[in-house]
Amino acid sequence: QMHLVQSDSEVKQPGSSVKVSCKASGGSLRNHGITWLRQAPGQGFEWLGGILPLLGAANPTPTFQDRLALTADETSTTAYLELTSLTFEDTAVYFCARDGTHYRGAFDVWGQGTLVTVSS
Amino acid sequence: QAVLTQPPSVSGAPGQRVTISCTGTSSNIGAHYDVHWYQQLPGTAPKLLIFADTDRPSGVPDRFSGSKSGTSASLAITGLQAEDEAVYFCQSYDSGLNGRGVFGGGTKLTVL
């Protein structure tokens, strides 16, 4: 059974950048899409975008397109999210989730989440 | 502001049945996009409960069921148990967002 293991929590200053990793443990991302979402404290989920690691094809949500980069390594075991020009409103738990090919695209495997705190 | 509307909270006694609604529009649920449901326990990642409106992944008890009609979907939980206390989210897709996903704001289930 594959697990997604994300990088540790980060504290960043406004205007800086953060890079979050999502590593497949016990499997590969080659045959799956990965979607990135975030959840601000006490809030629902916000869809950030997705990537097909095998093709390297990324589709960030237009709202974030200018400052969001979604990438994956060439072995298709790790996906990355990099968000630039951070503001206080970017404080949230960032999740990667696997698009379940047997579940009509529902997210069947989730990373544990990475808390990104933007603070001066 | 969540695109899909869920009640902020519901409650029920052990053994009872509760339902959680998820209301959308003609550009998402009403456009026949799949609705998925997730359970999130405090401080943990969500777990897939229901996919494609009504289907359960293996391992999810049949106490959990989903339905959809028009622009709304519902999650029903029967035989309520203490461990069901969690936040439940619905998710679908929206044609106005080029098919990207949208979520409900989440419903906190309290088992009395």
Side-chain angles (χ1 to χ4, degrees):
Chain A
Q1 168 109 15
M2 193 181 86
H3 297 278
L4 296 175
V5 181
Q6 296 184 224
S7 47
D8 292 336
S9 299
E10 303 250 21
V11 179
K12 294 292 183 178
Q13 292 201 326
S16 67
S17 302
V18 67
K19 191 169 186 176
V20 179
S21 66
C22 171
K23 182 175 175 61
S25 171
S28 168
L29 302 176
R30 292 178 66 85
N31 298 318
H32 298 274
I34 290 292
T35 297
W36 289 90
L37 309 111
R38 72 181 184 182
Q39 187 177 33
Q43 303 297 312
F45 288 93
E46 186 172 18
W47 194 284
L48 301 178
I51 184 169
L52 294 173
L54 181 62
L55 303 176
N59 185 22
T61 300
T63 306
F64 298 93
Q65 200 155 18
D66 291 342
R67 59 190 191 100
L68 177 63
L70 303 177
T71 57
D73 68 15
E74 60 185 16
T75 62
S76 297
T77 57
T78 305
Y80 301 92
L81 171 150
E82 183 169 21
L83 189 62
T84 62
S85 302
L86 293 170
T87 70
F88 298 122
E89 287 70 37
D90 292 317
T91 294
V93 179
Y94 288 72
F95 290 97
C96 60
R98 187 179 80 169
D99 301 343
T101 51
H102 301 297
Y103 300 107
R104 296 272 282 264
F107 303 131
D108 65 335
V109 180
W110 291 68
Q112 82 276 20
T114 297
L115 174 61
V116 174
T117 304
V118 182
S119 173
S120 54
Chain B
Q1 187 92 4
V3 173
L4 305 178
T5 301
Q6 297 181 236
S9 63
V10 297
S11 62
Q16 284 189 333
R17 178 182 187 270
V18 296
T19 61
I20 298 172
S21 61
C22 174
T23 303
T25 67
S26 58
S27 66
N28 40 67
I29 296 176
H32 306 291
Y33 284 110
D34 287 338
V35 177
H36 313 307
W37 289 90
Y38 303 90
Q39 176 194 60
Q40 187 177 30
L41 298 170
T44 69
K47 170 189 172 183
L48 178 62
L49 271 186
I50 299 288
F51 68 98
D53 305 339
T54 60
D55 295 341
R56 279 187 310 276
S58 61
V60 174
D62 60 6
R63 301 188 297 106
F64 296 90
S65 63
S67 63
K68 186 172 80 175
S69 178
T71 58
S72 294
S74 289
L75 172 71
I77 310 171
T78 59
L80 209 54
Q81 299 178 4
E83 57 260 37
D84 298 333
E85 189 161 292
V87 178
Y88 294 83
F89 290 93
C90 59
Q91 181 235 312
S92 187
Y93 307 86
D94 197 292
S95 61
L97 300 174
N98 291 323
R100 284 191 179 84
V102 290
F103 280 89
T107 299
K108 166 69 174 167
L109 168 63
T110 300
V111 180
L112 302 171

